[in-house]
């Protein structure tokens, strides 16, 4: 075992759980046994929540300009430790070093946004009647929780943690049991940056801890990022316990390619979008709709896909189970009559035989009722469907229950505008394969890709992590009686 076991982080210190149940942490890169992670019990969560609750009065009363100083220092520490953090992400998640570095760079951008919060949350004040003032300010909620998935071990925790904490909340983070190591380093760097003990806590575990978070009477709000199946469970459970909840789910993102699209740029974007992070991105292109005659672009997509080499510029998928699942989708499509143009099945990387890889896969002549067309595959696979018109393409996109992202590739502004208006997704790209909004714009999908009001990052997240306090004051009794007295 390369690393010490991933244990909980409570009140500024790593500590063993009362539970002896653990899960192995295996690197998808080459099957190395990296660590094991504790499956905490409710007693661990209670302890973490108690620590967060005890830290809340002092932290919430610390002026926001002072609170964000921690994040200025945290940003510098992320920069300083970029290589070490990237290496850890590669090991536990299996993505490439370049992708891991991009994830830390994005974490830095998210932290910069948190540093700007004092500028964004200054309140409102007005003399509403003679001598009477109303003012609105933002108050933190208290103890909040963030439950995160495996595919971005640093970025997704940094979607929620810096904003929630800079806004004065104390947090319980529940990392994915598949990638529990990076969050531990984040905790250490937060401490080094001067975050008081108890403000950020980690409780490792599986669905049992997630359920306990949703039920805990002292947790005010729950954010969740993961699959739609679990997002629904968490949203229902947390809100039935009268908590605030935003729960981001899975995705099936469509790229609409029109005949006037620039072939080279489109092919590169499609190939990069479907294969980046081995297709394990909620923003990955998973379905492409070829509108009209675009065979020349499909050919170039295949050429681009063949340049993507597992173990070099294509990382591993998270587990053997995931690899088998992805391959099953490809085989089902083939059996259903689709044509496999580039086949990533049975990929073995020399020297990393115990790694779990799927090569880039391009499937053509997929029909909308096939499972590869409807379901999230979470692997480097693009399913191409063919339509004659843009409206037919949009009908396919609209019929999918997810709604994270959709993109159109064209040089026709009118067609692009039409897709922007008609696609049923929260994030739209025009000639952009992965239309992730950068800060300060917020991140969040529609339909079954997100449950709850507002988005998880950017300005929208300020609403989620705070509540408004409205005060009305009068300091001049001589003003006499008026209608507000
Ligand atoms: P997952 O839903 O399996 O797990 C997410 C979290 O929920 C983990 O911490 C896990 O321990 C916990 N969990 C798992 N099963 C549970 C259950 N039955 N009850 C309660 N908690 C449970 O997701 P994953 O496999 O880790 O991540 C991949 C999924 O996340 C994909 O569907 C992907 O699209 C989605 N995702 C979405 C976004 C987005 O912004 N919409 C971003 C990243 C990932």
């Amino acid at each position: 075992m390369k690393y010490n076991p991933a244990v909980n982080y409570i009140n500024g210190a790593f500590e063993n759980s009362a539970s002896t149940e653990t899960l192995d942490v295996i690197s998808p890169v080459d099957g190395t046994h990296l660590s094991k992670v504790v499956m905490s019990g409710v007693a661990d969560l209670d302890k973490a929540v108690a620590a967060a609750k005890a830290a809340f009065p002092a932290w919430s009363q610390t002026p926001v300009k002072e609170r964000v100083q921690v994040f200025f220092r945290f940003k510098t520490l992320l920069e300083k430790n970029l290589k070490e953090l990237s290496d850890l992400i590669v090991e536990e998640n299996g993505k490439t070093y370049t992708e891991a570095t991009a994830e830390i760079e994005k974490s830095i951008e998210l932290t910069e946004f948190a540093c700007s919060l004092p500028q964004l949350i200054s309140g409102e004040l007005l003399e509403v009647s003679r001598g009477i003032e109303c003012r609105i300010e933002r108050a933190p909620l208290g103890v909040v929780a963030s439950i995160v998935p495996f595919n971005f071990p640093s970025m997704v925790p940094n979607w929620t943690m810096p904003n929630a904490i800079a806004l004065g909340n104390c947090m319980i983070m529940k990392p994915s049991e598949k990638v529990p190591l990076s969050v531990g380093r984040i905790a250490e760097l937060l401490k080094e940056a001067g975050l008081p003990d108890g403000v950020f806590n980690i409780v490792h575990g599986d669905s049992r801890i997630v359920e306990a978070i949703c039920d805990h009477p002292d947790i005010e709000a729950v954010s969740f990022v993961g699959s739609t199946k679990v997002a629904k469970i968490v949203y229902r459970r947390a809100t039935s316990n009268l908590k605030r909840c935003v729960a981001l789910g899975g995705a099936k993102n469509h790229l609409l390619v029109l005949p006037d699209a620039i072939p080279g740029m489109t092919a590169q974007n499609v190939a990069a979008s479907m294969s980046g992070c081995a297709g394990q991105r909620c923003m990955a292109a998973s379905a492409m709709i070829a509108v009209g005659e675009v065979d020349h672009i499909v050919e170039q997509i295949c050429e681009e896909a063949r340049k993507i080499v597992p173990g070099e510029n294509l990382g591993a998928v998270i587990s053997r189970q995931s690899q088998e699942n992805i391959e099953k989708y490809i085989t089902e499509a083939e059996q259903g009559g689709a044509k496999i143009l580039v086949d990533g099945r049975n990929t073995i990387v020399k020297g990393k035989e115990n790694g779990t890889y799927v090569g880039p896969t391009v499937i053509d002549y997929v029909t909308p009722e096939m499972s590869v067309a409807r379901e999230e595959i979470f692997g480097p696979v693009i399913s191409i469907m063919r339509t004659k018109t843009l409206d037919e393409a949009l009908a396919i996109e609209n019929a999918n229950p997810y709604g994270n992202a959709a993109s159109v590739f064209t040089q026709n502004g009118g067609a692009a505008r039409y897709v922007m208006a008609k696609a049923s997704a929260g994030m739209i790209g025009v000639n952009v394969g992965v239309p992730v909004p950068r800060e300060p714009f917020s991140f969040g999908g529609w339909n079954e890709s997100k449950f709850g009001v507002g988005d998880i990052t950017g300005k929208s997240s300020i609403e989620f992590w705070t509540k408004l306090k409205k005060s009305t004051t009068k300091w001049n009794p001589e003003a006499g009686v008026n209608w507000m007295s």
Side-chain angles (χ1 to χ4, degrees), residues 147-152 156 159 174-178 205-208 210-211 224-231 233-234 248-251 281-282 376 378 404 427 443-445 449 456:
I147 302 157
V148 293
F150 79 81
N151 61 331
F152 285 94
V156 173
W159 275 359
K174 207 303 272 173
S176 164
E177 58 274 43
K178 293 172 189 152
D206 57 14
S207 59
R208 291 163 291 180
V210 173
E211 286 162 7
F224 172 87
V225 181
S227 60
T228 290
K229 179 175 148 245
V230 182
I233 295 171
V234 168
L248 274 62
R281 287 189 288 195
C282 63
E376 181 173 45
F378 233 48
N404 224 32
M427 293 170 278
F443 186 101
S449 291
I456 202 160

Side-chain angles (χ1 to χ4, degrees), residues 119-400:
Q119 278 51 258
L120 296 173
I121 63 158
S122 63
E124 296 167 29
L125 186 140
L126 186 72
E127 186 182 42
V128 290
S129 190
R130 204 171 290 272
I132 296 193
E133 287 175 353
C134 280
R135 75 179 209 182
I136 292 189
E137 58 203 311
R138 288 194 175 272
L141 305 177
V143 181
V144 299
S146 177
I147 302 157
V148 293
F150 79 81
N151 61 331
F152 285 94
S154 170
M155 182 189 78
V156 173
N158 279 300
W159 275 359
T160 55
M161 180 276 290
N163 292 356
I165 290 183
L167 289 165
N169 299 287
C170 294
M171 177 171 268
I172 311 296
M173 178 71 67
K174 207 303 272 173
S176 164
E177 58 274 43
K178 293 172 189 152
V179 295
L181 303 174
S182 296
V183 175
R185 277 300 286 143
I186 288 172
E188 287 174 337
L189 296 181
L190 282 171
K191 184 155 180 143
E192 199 179 332
L195 190 73
D197 293 345
V199 176
F200 179 71
N201 306 275
I202 302 170
V203 180
H204 291 289
D206 57 14
S207 59
R208 291 163 291 180
I209 279 298
V210 173
E211 286 162 7
I213 286 173
C214 294
D215 294 345
H216 204 293
D218 288 334
I219 294 179
E220 304 295 332
V222 176
S223 74
F224 172 87
V225 181
S227 60
T228 290
K229 179 175 148 245
V230 182
K232 284 182 181 172
I233 295 171
V234 168
Y235 189 78
R236 287 197 177 109
R237 192 150 178 162
T239 55
S240 77
N241 283 313
L242 309 178
K243 297 182 197 313
R244 264 184 206 195
C245 184
V246 66
L248 274 62
K252 185 81 189 174
N253 305 314
H254 293 73
L255 303 183
L256 279 54
V257 176
L258 275 54
D260 68 346
I262 298 173
M265 182 269 284
T266 303
Q268 275 171 13
N269 271 264
V270 173
S273 178
M274 68 99 159
S275 68
C277 298
Q280 300 172 120
R281 287 189 288 195
C282 63
M283 293 296 279
S286 178
M288 176 183 137
I289 310 183
V291 184
E293 179 39 60
V294 299
D295 281 351
H296 59 298
I297 301 178
V298 172
E299 262 168 44
Q300 287 202 31
I301 291 170
C302 293
E303 276 169 36
E304 290 296 330
R306 289 189 191 100
K307 292 181 201 162
I308 299 166
V309 182
E312 287 177 25
N313 55 354
L314 178 66
V317 297
I318 191 69
S319 62
R320 186 72 59 204
Q321 191 193 349
S322 167
Q323 180 189 24
E324 287 168 5
N325 196 33
I326 297 163
E327 294 193 350
K328 198 167 123 231
Y329 273 112
I330 303 169
T331 302
E332 269 175 26
E334 188 176 40
Q335 288 165 351
K339 200 169 161 195
I340 316 291
L341 301 181
V342 181
D343 190 350
R345 286 172 291 183
N346 306 313
T347 295
I348 291 172
V349 173
K350 210 161 169 264
K352 294 173 181 164
E353 285 75 9
N354 290 324
T356 44
Y357 295 85
V358 177
T361 301
V362 181
I363 314 178
D364 203 354
Y365 299 103
V366 169
T367 51
E369 69 286 353
M370 289 181 183
S371 55
V372 279
R374 287 183 289 111
E375 294 168 22
E376 181 173 45
I377 299 173
F378 233 48
V381 179
I382 188 103
S383 304
I384 304 177
M385 287 170 270
R386 306 264 179 166
T387 65
K388 289 198 173 69
T389 66
L390 190 50
D391 281 326
E392 283 173 70
L394 281 163
I396 293 172
E397 191 278 338
N398 285 187
N400 195 273

